[in-house]
Amino acid sequence: MPNAILDPTGSVTSKVAKAAAPRAHRPASLNGIRVGLLINTKQNARPFLEEVGRLLEEKYGVTLTKRTKVNFAVPEPENVIKELVADNDVVITGVGDCGSCSAAAAADGVVLESAGVPVAAIITDSFIPTADAMAALRGAPGYKYATTAHPVAVLTEDKVRERAAQVLGDVVALLTDPGDARA
Amino acid sequence: MTAASDEGAAAGGAAGPAPDPDEAQRAIEYCYDQGWSDGLPLVPASKPLLDAFLATTDKDPDEIIGSLEQVGRDVDVRTAAINAAMAGCKPEYFPVVLAAFEALMRERAARGGGFQSTSGPAPLIVVNGPIRKELGFNTAGGAFGPGFRPNMTIPRAIGLIVRNAFGVHPHVLEQATQGVPGRWNICIAENEEESPWEPFAENGGVTGGVSAVSATLTRTMEFVDNRHTPNPEDVLRDFQDTIGRIGSLIFPQTSVALVLCPEHAQMFAAAGLAKADVQNWLIERSGRLGREFRVMGKENVARPGFQGEYEGDEAFHKILSGPKQIPVIVAGAKNAAISMVVRIFGEWSGTAVPVVEKK
């Protein structure tokens, strides 16, 4: 009886089914609610999210709160998640425009959803595979987020505003669509 | 030389008739089919081989030795050993693999997004102490490889751990735009014998000639070939110029490792310079004028810090803030005055981790 060839992937590959991360209940509309902007510090992330926030203020009279991610590369620590949950009815995060920060945006989204806060994560289209992989790792395969074309970092102020306006419809839909947003 | 000719016995195989190449090939292809390989053939690991690895350490096979929190994956000693075996390490290399992995995972940049990053950084592993000779590391010419089993297989083991145990695969969680040549191949054994200074591990806190490993992530390296001048200051100016290259600068501060050839190191030492003197000379002078950054659209680099304002066209912007931003290592042959400026990804804590063999 020959020896088996050993598996180098570790115990995790037993594919123990991760508890499915629940999706948060959506408000019927964004009228007058509290919107948190979780800005990941990548170039142009701040003006991009601030413009999205401004448009939501204008259109729905939302109240904005803003905070910067502790570390763009990794998901937010538990205490920050708690504060985000306490301070906001919905959260918008981004812009996921690098390898680690796009995955982290998806992870933050899944964690906040589990805590009951609907999230619209904004990720550039170059990083769809890594955002999808991270969402699946976090128990939310098929987790939906908004995308905008890569790159964002080199856009002029006008173009950033244009992009923010373009993605607005998807952001609103992600935050209010009551259906199961996972495919 | 083949692994089978000198290692079969250590791995539990019997010394006897020549191994069956067809069976070996089937095993190699099996490993490819599982998606475990970095692209090169793997050594198929078996229980007896794993046991030989585990016998080199007092650590419990179940002990967790690293976590990549954001992907929810841990690595235990057993999994690390299987990957080290598959990378082609000998069992006796395993304590060095463990020390290298610990050193790397102490770095914030590695625990954060380093392995997922678009910059695709490579671990730079530095080995000090008697273990270099005991295991047959290359400590002389061709310091960055290839040609020597421990130097090549130990960093490969780290790469396989990242791939298999952390599940960070190219094009998925690994998003390198281009990456670094030799990404999982860089392991230097310092040329302590021809270095005029203290071993690098001493700068990282491990003294007394104890074997130790230091590790960081690097984005690239560039050589400085300066073998024609008798003047050490000329050579320092040459380093200063290369360190100050703008292309690799994205933040107000940067970090570089100087991997000096013995000839450059000895020239500095003969002029009375300690390592710290070389570091301080370069800290004071490495950088550019504000306008040199501005004409490349990088005036954001020429700020005192992330919160600061552009310092102006005529202000000289220093890019190294202290000795931690410019660790100095001596490696290579004493046959030409060629050294390397290595770009660090993030910041290197410089911590050395002792190699702990089974008592």
Side-chain angles (χ1 to χ4, degrees):
Chain A
M1 182 66 185
N3 286 310
I5 297 178
L6 300 179
D7 183 327
T9 58
S11 52
V12 186
T13 46
S14 55
K15 301 248 182 340
V16 180
K18 287 225 164 60
R23 179 175 184 257
H25 176 73
R26 264 52 190 165
S29 94
L30 299 182
N31 284 329
I33 70 170
R34 299 170 303 164
V35 176
L37 303 179
L38 180 57
I39 299 161
N40 74 353
T41 73
K42 298 306 278 191
Q43 178 88 16
N44 275 338
R46 176 170 290 276
F48 193 115
L49 290 195
E50 284 181 344
E51 178 64 4
V52 169
R54 194 189 65 77
L55 292 170
L56 293 177
E57 273 179 328
E58 207 173 83
K59 220 166 161 181
Y60 300 100
V62 303
T63 306
L64 291 179
T65 65
K66 296 174 196 175
R67 75 184 296 156
T68 303
K69 264 180 79 67
V70 176
N71 177 353
F72 68 78
V74 298
E76 290 299 276
E78 211 172 306
N79 64 315
V80 174
I81 295 289
K82 277 194 181 138
E83 286 173 27
L84 283 165
V85 171
D87 297 344
N88 303 289
D89 299 309
V90 301
V91 166
I92 301 169
T93 186
V95 174
D97 199 19
C98 77
S100 53
C101 68
S102 52
D108 285 334
V110 173
V111 170
L112 284 164
E113 296 267 358
S114 298
V117 176
V119 176
I122 303 170
I123 287 158
T124 70
D125 56 6
S126 292
F127 295 99
I128 290 171
T130 203
D132 286 350
M134 180 57 99
L137 274 174
R138 295 271 159 169
Y143 181 69
K144 291 215 168 139
Y145 46 83
T147 58
T148 189
H150 175 84
V152 164
V154 298
L155 298 180
T156 59
E157 282 176 41
D158 286 354
K159 288 285 175 197
V160 168
R161 280 197 292 273
E162 216 171 273
R163 287 290 194 84
Q166 283 166 1
V167 83
L168 192 71
D170 288 346
V171 167
V172 173
L174 280 168
L175 295 174
T176 56
D177 181 357
D180 186 350
R182 275 174 233 150
Chain B
M1 189 180 96
T2 67
S5 66
D6 66 341
E7 279 324 295
D20 178 347
D22 301 316
E23 201 56 29
Q25 287 153 19
R26 282 204 321 122
I28 288 168
E29 289 303 324
Y30 174 87
C31 293
Y32 275 116
D33 291 344
Q34 308 307 309
W36 297 336
S37 167
D38 51 14
L40 292 171
L42 296 172
V43 175
S46 62
K47 180 74 168 44
L49 183 58
L50 171 62
D51 289 343
F53 275 73
L54 295 177
T56 65
T57 175
D58 283 322
K59 283 183 187 289
D60 186 322
D62 291 325
E63 182 182 335
I64 301 294
I65 54 167
S67 300
L68 203 59
E69 206 181 312
Q70 61 269 40
V71 299
R73 299 280 291 253
D74 300 327
V75 185
D76 59 22
V77 171
R78 180 184 299 102
T79 303
I82 296 171
N83 281 284
M86 287 188 156
C89 291
K90 289 188 185 186
E92 56 266 38
Y93 301 173
F94 190 46
V96 181
V97 173
L98 289 172
F101 187 65
E102 181 176 341
L104 189 60
M105 293 308 290
R106 282 187 186 184
E107 300 300 309
R108 183 174 180 271
R111 288 195 311 277
F115 299 131
Q116 300 158 258
S117 172
T118 46
S119 39
L124 166 69
I125 298 166
V126 184
V127 180
N128 280 104
I131 197 86
R132 296 167 307 133
K133 298 295 179 193
E134 288 162 24
L135 296 182
F137 278 92
N138 173 32
T139 63
F144 287 101
F148 299 87
R149 187 168 173 178
N151 302 72
M152 286 300 276
T153 57
I154 289 167
R156 189 186 186 206
I158 304 295
L160 290 177
I161 290 170
V162 170
R163 178 187 179 89
N164 292 318
F166 285 158
V168 179
H169 287 210
H171 300 181
V172 190
L173 288 172
E174 195 268 78
Q175 287 286 323
T177 306
Q178 295 182 320
V180 179
R183 186 164 182 195
W184 307 113
N185 298 138
I186 307 172
C187 177
I188 296 173
E190 191 172 44
N191 188 344
E192 295 176 24
E193 290 69 23
E194 292 184 293
S195 168
W197 298 315
E198 73 282 5
F200 182 60
E202 272 190 32
N203 307 133
V206 176
T207 55
V210 173
S211 294
V213 185
S214 318
T216 187
L217 291 173
T218 166
R219 290 192 62 168
T220 193
M221 56 188 79
E222 182 178 5
F223 66 89
V224 172
D225 188 328
N226 191 320
R227 53 180 115 181
H228 306 294
T229 172
N231 180 1
E233 284 231 344
D234 289 349
V235 180
L236 285 168
R237 270 189 286 276
D238 209 351
F239 283 118
Q240 170 197 346
D241 180 68
T242 297
I243 292 167
R245 265 193 212 301
I246 290 175
S248 58
L249 302 179
I250 51 175
F251 299 133
Q253 298 296 317
T254 194
S255 187
V256 295
L258 276 193
V259 179
L260 297 182
C261 63
E263 201 172 320
H264 279 152
Q266 289 176 10
M267 175 195 243
F268 294 143
L273 301 177
K275 249 190 224 185
D277 299 321
V278 171
Q279 290 170 310
N280 289 330
W281 196 99
L282 290 164
I283 289 163
E284 285 307 309
R285 294 166 181 81
S286 296
R288 302 282 176 192
L289 291 173
R291 64 180 145 79
E292 295 180 87
F293 291 99
R294 185 178 50 73
V295 296
M296 296 178 190
K298 283 187 162 178
E299 58 269 37
N300 271 348
V301 172
R303 293 183 290 167
F306 284 110
Q307 307 306 328
E309 298 291 319
Y310 175 55
E311 292 158 336
D313 280 2
E314 299 312 316
F316 184 80
H317 176 68
K318 292 185 193 175
I319 55 175
L320 301 171
S321 55
K324 262 179 74 174
Q325 275 66 44
I326 180 166
V328 177
I329 299 149
V330 178
K334 192 185 173 186
N335 62 4
I338 308 168
S339 294
M340 207 69 94
V341 171
V342 179
R343 300 276 168 192
I344 306 297
F345 177 79
E347 193 180 87
W348 192 354
S349 76
T351 318
V353 174
V355 176
V356 182
E357 295 172 279
K358 192 176 179 70
K359 291 180 191 82

